[in-house]
Amino acid sequence: MSLRRGLTSMLILATSLLAACSTIQPERSIGRELDDANASLSIKSAMLRTEGFALEGVDVEVTEGIALLTGTVPREDDKRMAECLTWSSVAVRAVANEINVGQAAGFRDRTRDAWITQRVRARLLSDRNIRSVNFNVETYGHTVYLLGLARSQAELERASSHAALVDGVTDVISFVQVAGTPSSLPARGERRAAACAGEPNPSLDPDVIDPNSGPELLGGPESN
């Protein structure tokens, strides 16, 4: 009789654990995270190798296939080339080009941005209704950029609210995908024409030639 009770208890526990796991799905997959990290590194490396363009001030973050470009470059041509190079990564399915053209931010502003990022991450981590590991937080020019995967629109709005409440934040821009929401982005091939117009189509691998390179910017961001 005790054995039967033990088996019953184990079955109940297993069912509870499965139910608990289902409440935190979907998760960002390890494979997707690796693809994103490799894409970020290869794009940045390509920027540093490109001659004739000042791209060392560009920061690249790829999350769920969406590449966020921030930082400062001296010319519009530099900004366009940074986006063109980003589209050369096959892991990238959308580009958010938020690069500023002008003078680079000073030490005080960079320090403030880093502090804001940490405060936003801390607020997301402390909220049990938010799966913080699914979000990537970047700050540039006191603007917070959110990337990643939200389980619902309500979770995304909650995360955006946390970011907006941090002292010093001037704007919150979301490139977060909501689970279960179909993508409205056109086919990749349809977007690869504008950024590289008039430029030789670059490749992240000099031994690989991609005849279809040349993209277009991601549609307007969601602001909160």
Side-chain angles (χ1 to χ4, degrees):
M1 190 72 173
S2 60
L3 177 60
R4 180 178 297 178
R5 288 199 191 97
L7 290 174
T8 301
S9 298
M10 291 176 64
L11 180 60
I12 293 173
L13 177 60
T15 302
S16 299
L17 289 174
L18 287 173
C21 289
S22 66
T23 63
I24 63 174
Q25 297 296 325
E27 299 285 357
R28 292 191 62 210
S29 70
I30 295 177
R32 176 78 264 180
E33 290 187 34
L34 289 174
D35 287 344
D36 289 341
N38 289 334
S40 297
L41 290 173
S42 62
I43 292 167
K44 185 61 180 179
S45 177
M47 289 183 182
L48 295 177
R49 294 196 311 266
T50 301
E51 298 180 358
F53 295 89
L55 304 179
E56 61 276 3
V58 177
D59 184 50
V60 182
E61 289 292 336
V62 181
T63 308
E64 292 296 306
I66 296 179
L68 172 66
L69 304 181
T70 56
T72 304
V73 294
R75 307 173 303 172
E76 287 288 345
D77 286 348
D78 300 320
K79 179 176 181 177
R80 284 193 295 269
M81 178 52 72
E83 184 177 337
C84 181
L85 286 168
T86 302
W87 276 106
S88 297
S89 171
V90 295
V92 171
R93 63 186 189 85
V95 179
N97 193 341
E98 298 291 316
I99 298 172
N100 179 56
V101 177
Q103 187 175 1
F107 176 78
R108 176 179 294 182
D109 286 332
R110 294 196 302 271
T111 301
R112 184 65 173 179
D113 285 344
W115 181 86
I116 288 174
T117 296
Q118 293 304 317
R119 292 303 304 155
V120 173
R121 287 174 177 167
R123 290 183 68 98
L124 298 185
L125 184 63
S126 66
D127 190 334
R128 294 184 178 180
N129 293 311
I130 293 177
R131 187 66 175 169
S132 60
V133 295
N134 286 347
F135 289 83
N136 186 8
V137 181
E138 300 294 330
T139 307
Y140 184 78
H142 300 183
T143 293
V144 173
Y145 298 93
L146 299 178
L147 301 98
L149 182 66
R151 294 171 294 176
S152 66
Q153 183 64 34
E155 183 183 42
L156 172 55
E157 292 174 359
R158 194 175 184 93
S160 298
S161 296
H162 276 299
L165 290 174
V166 172
D167 184 43
V169 173
T170 58
D171 197 10
V172 179
I173 297 178
S174 170
F175 295 104
V176 174
Q177 301 170 80
V178 178
T181 302
S183 174
S184 59
L185 295 173
R188 175 182 168 87
E190 298 176 14
R191 306 194 309 275
R192 303 175 65 193
C196 294
E199 295 286 348
N201 294 338
S203 172
L204 300 186
D205 183 346
D207 297 326
V208 176
I209 299 176
D210 182 358
N212 297 316
S213 295
E216 187 173 334
L217 186 64
L218 172 70
E222 174 190 354
S223 298
N224 295 287

